Amino acid sequence: MDSSNLFSQEMLLYITFGLVVLVAILVLVTAFYVLQVLKTLLEKNKTEEQRLADQSAPSWFAQQWMKWNALKPIADEETILLDHDYDGIQELDNHLPPWWKGLFYVTIVYAVVYIMIFHVFESSPLQEEEYDIEMAEAAAERAKKVQDVVYDFDENTVTVNDAPEALAEGMKFYTTNCAVCHKADGGGLAGPNLTDEYWRNGGGIKNVYKVIKNGVQGSAMIPWESRFNPEQMRSLASYVLSLQGSNPPGALGPDGEIYKEEEEQ
């Protein structure tokens, strides 16, 4: 199901529920007003004795409270008194309050509805599925934003980015993807040594960037353009160049031709 359609269905459900609640409130207000009018009319037709009887009777709210809690007046407690007696202590046969039992029945109905929706018909996603959906949407949105970024350089105009945060990012990419062939210190393993002045495909930021982007045909060096955006490839190329002259122990010997920086100008 498309996420936009799901969102519109949810919004429609919320709007419908809100309208139902609003109509219910209006109906209750109208009913309360009508009851007050009827009560006023009935009061006018009552005798003095009837008014006194009404005043001594429990209020409507008191009656409802007693009803929902299954309360018994003290005068009627004998009807629910159990027949056993422990050292003069007697017990009343009080049951669970009706409101408690009603709430319990509601939870049973809710559980059945929940199972039908989420586990039987699977019409709504569970929490883990919702999390995966939201993460996928966030990743798609992030990828779209990355694609929409306009870079003001390419392999012919790229320059070194020696900012600490750029080199740190380049080091992270190198450690994850390049160290397996060039070693963590750049000394070379299956791939050539990156710390000396010898290069198979030319040194300098532009040549290193091109190799990272397009790879080297006929070798194990694959193109990384589909994995990294231009700024990430520049950070990686800048980090590779920062390894120049580090001379790590156990580095491979010269491979390629000496590259001088001025040759790139």
Side-chain angles (χ1 to χ4, degrees):
M1 181 183 294
D2 187 73
S3 59
S4 60
N5 293 335
L6 179 61
F7 180 76
S8 62
Q9 290 179 3
E10 291 180 351
M11 286 299 299
L12 182 61
L13 178 62
Y14 294 148
I15 293 173
T16 304
F17 180 76
L19 290 175
V20 170
V21 172
L22 180 60
V23 171
I25 292 174
L26 292 175
V27 169
L28 289 175
V29 171
T30 304
F32 181 78
Y33 177 75
V34 171
L35 287 174
Q36 290 298 319
V37 173
L38 293 175
K39 182 179 179 181
T40 302
L41 294 175
L42 292 174
E43 286 291 336
K44 291 181 179 180
N45 298 325
K46 286 183 179 180
T47 62
E48 188 64 27
E49 291 78 7
Q50 290 175 329
R51 290 193 182 94
L52 291 174
D54 290 341
Q55 291 176 1
S56 61
S59 65
W60 182 85
F61 290 103
Q63 294 175 9
Q64 295 304 313
W65 176 259
M66 295 180 68
K67 177 180 178 181
W68 277 93
N69 288 278
L71 298 177
K72 288 283 188 179
I74 295 179
D76 297 336
E77 282 187 350
E78 292 184 359
T79 60
I80 58 173
L81 187 64
L82 297 177
D83 57 359
H84 56 257
D85 187 324
Y86 297 99
D87 295 331
I89 300 174
Q90 294 180 292
E91 183 182 0
L92 297 176
D93 187 18
N94 286 319
H95 298 278
L96 288 172
W99 67 265
W100 195 98
K101 291 187 287 188
L103 184 61
F104 178 68
Y105 298 144
V106 168
T107 59
I108 294 176
V109 174
Y110 177 84
V112 172
V113 173
Y114 182 91
I115 291 174
M116 298 299 291
I117 291 176
F118 290 97
H119 296 281
V120 178
F121 299 111
E122 298 182 351
S123 57
S124 293
L126 294 170
Q127 290 181 345
E128 294 83 357
E129 295 172 341
E130 287 184 349
Y131 174 80
D132 293 338
I133 292 173
E134 291 179 0
M135 292 298 293
E137 291 176 349
E141 183 177 355
R142 180 178 181 276
K144 185 177 184 302
K145 289 182 179 179
V146 170
Q147 291 176 355
D148 292 341
V149 174
V150 177
Y151 297 96
D152 58 356
F153 64 89
D154 58 16
E155 58 265 37
N156 298 313
T157 59
V158 64
T159 57
V160 173
N161 186 356
D162 55 2
E165 57 271 16
L167 293 179
E169 183 181 44
M171 180 180 180
K172 180 181 68 174
F173 296 147
Y174 178 89
T175 302
T176 304
N177 303 281
C178 309
V180 65
C181 290
H182 297 279
K183 292 181 68 174
D185 56 13
L189 192 61
N193 181 1
L194 301 176
T195 65
D196 59 16
E197 57 185 354
Y198 291 86
W199 296 88
R200 292 180 182 177
N201 301 284
I205 186 64
K206 294 179 181 177
N207 290 317
V208 174
Y209 183 94
K210 288 178 184 177
V211 171
I212 294 173
K213 177 182 178 181
N214 302 319
V216 178
Q217 190 172 7
S219 73
M221 182 63 187
I222 63 173
W224 294 93
E225 185 178 15
S226 61
R227 294 279 302 277
F228 299 143
N229 62 46
E231 190 60 48
Q232 292 172 330
M233 289 189 291
R234 180 165 75 163
S235 297
L236 177 56
S238 299
Y239 175 74
V240 169
L241 292 178
S242 73
L243 299 175
Q244 288 288 285
S246 59
N247 298 319
L252 297 181
D255 186 359
E257 299 180 356
I258 294 178
Y259 179 82
K260 299 296 184 182
E261 187 68 25
E262 55 268 21
E263 293 179 8
E264 189 179 359
Q265 307 299 330

